[in-house]
Amino acid sequence: MTGFLRHSHHLRYKQSLLYLKTAVMDRPINPPTMPMRNLEQLFAALAKSAFRGKFHLQDKDLHYIQAKGLPTILDHARDFIGKRLAPGFIPNDGKQTPFRGHPVFVAQHATACCCRSCLQKWHGIEQGRKLSAIEQDYIIEVLRHWLQREINRFTENSH
Ligand SMILES: [Zn+2]
């Protein structure tokens, strides 16, 4: 009886391993997930967060954007996202985005595109797998929108 129990336990264990393996293998590498939020809803929600609202570009960030041009800044953003957010496993998730040093870092914190945990919570993009191309485009679009608003704010204030 004991032998049988042990055997059946072992079998269940093997079955659950098989299940896990199948579940992982069945998952498409780049699921065609659509961006979860439209920008209007997202920015309305972000505006209610005191933490997110604290982030603004400094004069030196704006001068940097003016010098480089927004398209170049967004190229940098694409590079950061590809290296720091897109991988399926990020050992230092939650700490991969500095708080200063590049306008895109500030934009990432302001829009909750700073780590995979915030991406899941705010944007409905699940953790534990690679970001799809569509999701990366969506993040760039969110960052572009926020940066453009900061640029407008700066331009309005300086007149
Ligand atoms: Zn985060």
Side-chain angles (χ1 to χ4, degrees):
M1 191 62 190
T2 325
F4 171 74
L5 273 178
R6 201 182 299 134
H7 176 75
S8 90
H9 177 76
H10 182 67
L11 192 67
R12 257 205 321 274
Y13 177 64
K14 270 173 81 173
Q15 279 169 342
S16 65
L17 274 187
L18 186 67
Y19 170 77
L20 271 177
K21 212 168 148 189
T22 319
V24 170
M25 283 170 68
D26 277 350
R27 180 178 275 187
I29 291 164
N30 269 348
T33 333
M34 283 309 289
M36 64 114 349
R37 305 188 87 157
N38 78 41
L39 292 190
E40 213 171 296
Q41 284 170 6
L42 172 68
F43 279 81
L46 287 168
K48 291 181 190 148
S49 161
F51 176 73
R52 303 293 165 188
K54 282 190 311 194
F55 294 97
H56 286 292
L57 293 183
Q58 306 299 309
D59 285 359
K60 64 173 166 51
D61 297 313
L62 287 147
H63 294 146
Y64 183 70
I65 296 174
Q66 275 173 341
K68 295 279 180 185
L70 190 54
T72 302
I73 298 298
L74 293 174
D75 285 344
H76 298 170
R78 195 166 283 283
D79 187 53
F80 295 150
I81 300 312
K83 288 182 179 142
R84 298 165 187 248
L85 282 185
F89 172 69
I90 302 164
N92 65 338
D93 194 51
K95 295 191 176 101
Q96 72 267 61
T97 306
F99 283 94
R100 57 179 68 88
H102 195 287
V104 167
F105 296 152
V106 186
Q108 284 183 260
H109 287 291
T111 57
C113 295
C114 40
C115 67
R116 291 299 294 267
S117 160
C118 292
L119 274 180
Q120 177 162 298
K121 184 178 161 199
W122 282 83
H123 304 273
I125 297 172
E126 65 176 339
Q127 303 183 63
R129 58 159 177 79
K130 274 174 79 172
L131 293 180
S132 70
I134 291 171
E135 287 162 344
Q136 294 186 56
D137 288 346
Y138 161 76
I139 294 166
I140 299 299
E141 201 45 34
V142 169
L143 297 172
R144 189 192 64 76
H145 189 84
W146 187 86
L147 288 165
Q148 190 59 61
R149 281 200 342 179
E150 287 290 295
I151 294 165
N152 296 346
R153 215 170 71 101
F154 184 71
T155 322
E156 281 156 23
N157 288 346
S158 61
H159 283 289

